[in-house]
Structure formats: C-alpha cells, structure tokens
Amino acid sequence: VQLQASGGGSVQAGGSLRLSCEASGYTLDYLTIGWFRQAPGKEREGVSCISSEGGSTHYADSVKGRFTISRDNAKNTVYLEIDSLKAEDTALYYCAAFIGAVVPGWPFLSAGAYDYWGQGTLVTVSS
C-alpha cells in the first residue's frame, strides 16, 4: 500500500483546506484510513479515521465540528476537509492505512494501529 497525501498549504486563520490521501497498490474499499498530525515539538496526534466497510467516521475531540473525513472509493482517495482553521492546526498532516475491517473499540486514532504511512503534507495557519 502506498499513500500520497496532498493539499496542504499556508492559509489564514478562519480559512479552509481540503487534504487528499490517494492510495495505490490496494483497493481503497478494504482500507481503513486515518489522518494524523504532528506539530513542531509535539507528539503525533490522531485526528480522524474512516473505516473500510461501512465507512464509520471518528474524530478527536479537539477537531470535532471542524474536520470532516470522507472517501471516494472510485478515486481511491480519502479527503479531510478542515474548516475554521486555527493557528494550533499548524502541523504536518499524515494519512495512514490499515488493511481490513475494524470493530467498535479498535484504536482508530492510535498511530500504532496502522501499518502504512504517507509522507505528509504541511498545513500552516497564520493568525
């Protein structure tokens, strides 16, 4: 599985961005995709996940209401829409994949649960 994250950029606070994670080497239908971010000097943080079968979505409390994850299996791409950007959203954003279905209680926002990682796309928010 190869993952290519894109869509990052420099935006002003209050703006929006849509990040994309394109998967190759495996059909997206069978992948659970998570988005993570890492700000300078901080640990990697799970922000959102969309499961393979059923497409259930999960969000960190810190981003609920502002982040929306979605998938387009025909394009093998998962999107992360970020609205009302804040300075604290500044980070390198990564997407990651787990092959297979997941069940309630699975560690959706834990980096250790994922097997494949993309290279990251940088989001910089200026106030």
Side-chain angles (χ1 to χ4, degrees):
V1 178
Q2 292 82 45
L3 303 171
Q4 180 72 41
S6 62
S10 296
V11 295
Q12 289 193 329
S16 298
L17 276 177
R18 188 176 77 161
L19 307 183
S20 299
C21 176
E22 183 175 5
S24 59
Y26 212 92
T27 302
L28 186 65
D29 305 51
Y30 303 109
L31 297 178
T32 290
I33 300 293
W35 279 99
F36 294 78
R37 67 184 180 185
Q38 188 164 19
K42 295 189 176 181
E43 293 188 354
R44 190 169 297 191
E45 172 192 21
V47 296
S48 186
C49 163
I50 187 164
S51 65
S52 56
E53 299 178 15
S56 63
T57 58
H58 306 267
Y59 299 93
D61 289 342
S62 59
V63 306
K64 280 181 182 176
R66 297 191 301 118
F67 286 30
T68 304
I69 193 170
S70 61
R71 62 194 300 147
D72 185 339
N73 288 346
K75 295 183 178 180
N76 248 31
T77 300
V78 168
Y79 303 99
L80 185 69
E81 182 81 28
I82 309 175
D83 298 318
S84 303
L85 278 157
K86 304 176 181 180
E88 50 263 43
D89 294 321
T90 295
L92 191 59
Y93 283 73
Y94 299 89
C95 57
F98 171 82
I99 298 176
V102 295
V103 297
W106 192 76
F108 297 97
L109 299 181
S110 174
Y114 293 82
D115 300 314
Y116 303 93
W117 291 81
Q119 86 293 357
T121 185
L122 182 63
V123 173
T124 304
V125 183
S126 57
S127 56

